[in-house]
Each structure stands twice: as structure tokens, then as C-alpha cells.
């Protein structure tokens, strides 16, 4: 949601045909198709700094200020796995541990993450970033420049992170058994599923 609009993406899936649609709604009830993308699937949509950004499966981003007119797809410098808008910046995470940051989703600056695992999630809270990914990847940073590896205690793929009420929460994508990690400081983590 941004600029008074709900924005959703849909993808046909590889079994049907490549492609996806961008839809908007002022109320979440009635939807209007705004863009039909035929070059691949649409993976994610985020809003921040007055701009909607869509990440495609073909390693491209598209931008829009109104969610109605969209820029032509622009290649990004990685095999992407994640798009986030966090703490006033856009982040792209890749399948080989790459992380890029941008204030406007136009010019991307690489950041080192100390890993070669796929990057899957990113959140900011209590003055630090928490980055998650495959094989139990969990790293923290005060500035999104210098990263410190943390012991997650698991080799499961960690999908996302959130911070609220003084507690970090990180979830895995596994369901049998899942991992639900919590931390008061982003340094020491406890798996709450036993």
C-alpha cells in the first residue's frame, strides 16, 4: 500500500506461461489491471520514498510513482532473491550473498555481507539491520555497510525478520520442524520450536 493505493502482483507460473500482471485498488475490493509483463514472473512489489518498485524473475526492476504508468524493466546487477524497502532505502539481495542498496531504485551500490548463501530477508529495528538467508544465514549491521555473522543455531533457510516490542523474530521456510528464532539484541538467538 502506498500513495492511496493497494498494489498487487500476479504471476502465471512457468507451467502456464511466463508473465505477470500489476493491479491496483483504492479500497482493496475492486481491482484494475495496470500492466501486463510478458518477460517473466513478477516476484515482489514494494513502496517507499514515493516510488513503487517491482522485482521480476528476469533480474529487472520496474518503477512507478502512481502504480499506473510503469518504467521499462531495468536490469539489476545480480541474481535476485529479495526486494525490500527498509529504513528509507531499497535493498536487493541475491542468490550468492550479494546485497545492493539504493535510495531510489535507480542507482544501486553493492554492500558486502560476508556470505555466499542466498539472501532472503531484511529488517531494521533498535538501531540495527538483521539479514537472513539460506543455510541458517543470520548477519547484523548498524549501518548496512559492515556486517557481522551471528550464530542462528540452525541450517534451515531463514526467510524473514521482524522487530517489535523489543524482540527480533526470524522465521524459517521449513514446516517440519520449523524454526522460529527470537532475540532481544540481534546477537543471541533462541529457537522457540523444540
Amino acid at each position: 500500500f502506498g500513495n492511496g493505493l493497494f498494489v498487487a502482483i500476479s504471476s502465471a507460473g512457468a507451467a502456464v506461461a511466463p508473465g505477470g500482471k500489476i493491479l491496483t485498488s483504492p479500497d482493496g475490493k475492486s481491482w484494475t489491471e495496470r500492466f501486463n509483463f510478458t518477460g517473466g514472473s513478477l516476484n515482489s512489489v514494494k513502496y517507499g520514498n514515493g516510488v513503487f518498485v517491482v522485482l521480476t524473475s528476469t533480474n529487472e526492476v520496474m518503477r512507478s510513482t502512481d502504480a499506473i504508468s510503469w518504467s521499462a524493466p531495468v536490469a539489476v546487477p545480480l541474481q535476485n532473491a529479495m526486494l525490500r524497502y527498509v529504513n528509507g532505502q531499497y535493498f536487493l539481495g541475491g542468490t550468492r550473498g550479494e546485497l545492493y542498496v539504493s535510495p531510489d531504485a535507480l542507482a544501486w551500490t553493492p554492500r558486502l555481507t560476508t556470505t555466499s548463501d542466498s539472501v532472503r530477508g531484511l529488517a531494521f529495528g533498535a538501531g540495527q539491520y538483521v539479514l537472513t538467508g539460506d543455510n541458517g544465514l543470520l548477519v547484523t549491521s548498524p549501518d548496512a555497510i559492515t556486517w557481522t555473522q551471528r550464530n542462528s543455531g540452525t541450517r534451515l533457510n531463514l526467510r524473514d525478520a521482524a522487530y517489535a516490542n523489543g524482540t527480533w523474530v526470524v522465521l524459517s521456510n521449513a514446516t517440519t520442524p520449523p524454526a522460529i528464532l527470537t532475540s532481544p539484541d540481534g546477537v543471541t538467538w533462541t529457537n522457540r520450536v523444540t
Side-chain angles (χ1 to χ4, degrees):
F1 185 84
N3 201 20
L5 285 175
F6 292 95
V7 178
I9 56 173
S10 69
S11 292
V16 178
K21 299 178 186 300
I22 300 173
L23 303 105
T24 64
S25 171
D27 57 12
K29 297 175 186 174
S30 60
W31 292 86
T32 304
E33 182 181 324
R34 300 298 183 180
F35 189 83
N36 186 15
F37 181 69
T38 58
S41 299
L42 302 178
N43 290 350
S44 184
V45 59
K46 301 297 178 201
Y47 179 80
N49 286 351
V51 178
F52 294 94
V53 178
V54 169
L55 176 65
T56 75
S57 63
T58 54
N59 305 322
E60 299 169 311
V61 294
M62 298 183 301
R63 302 173 74 250
S64 175
T65 56
D66 59 9
I68 297 169
S69 300
W70 290 85
S71 70
V74 176
V76 292
L78 73 159
Q79 291 183 355
N80 46 59
M82 174 204 75
L83 169 67
R84 297 288 187 274
Y85 180 78
V86 177
N87 197 29
Q89 299 183 95
Y90 290 97
F91 289 85
L92 287 171
T95 56
R96 293 183 302 259
E98 310 99 322
L99 185 67
Y100 286 78
V101 62
S102 174
D104 55 13
L106 288 173
W108 296 92
T109 302
R111 298 284 191 239
L112 298 177
T113 62
T114 70
T115 184
S116 60
D117 290 311
S118 292
V119 172
R120 301 294 182 191
L122 177 70
F124 182 83
Q128 71 178 333
Y129 294 88
V130 169
L131 183 74
T132 62
D134 288 357
N135 299 310
L137 172 67
L138 207 155
V139 293
T140 63
S141 173
D143 55 12
I145 297 171
T146 303
W147 295 89
T148 302
Q149 188 86 31
R150 303 298 181 188
N151 182 3
S152 67
T154 183
R155 297 294 295 156
L156 294 175
N157 296 339
L158 302 177
R159 288 296 175 222
D160 226 332
Y163 181 81
N165 297 327
T167 302
W168 283 99
V169 178
V170 169
L171 303 174
S172 72
N173 69 335
T175 57
T176 314
I180 301 174
L181 309 177
T182 64
S183 173
D185 56 12
V187 176
T188 304
W189 294 85
T190 303
N191 189 349
R192 299 299 176 180
V193 179
T194 56

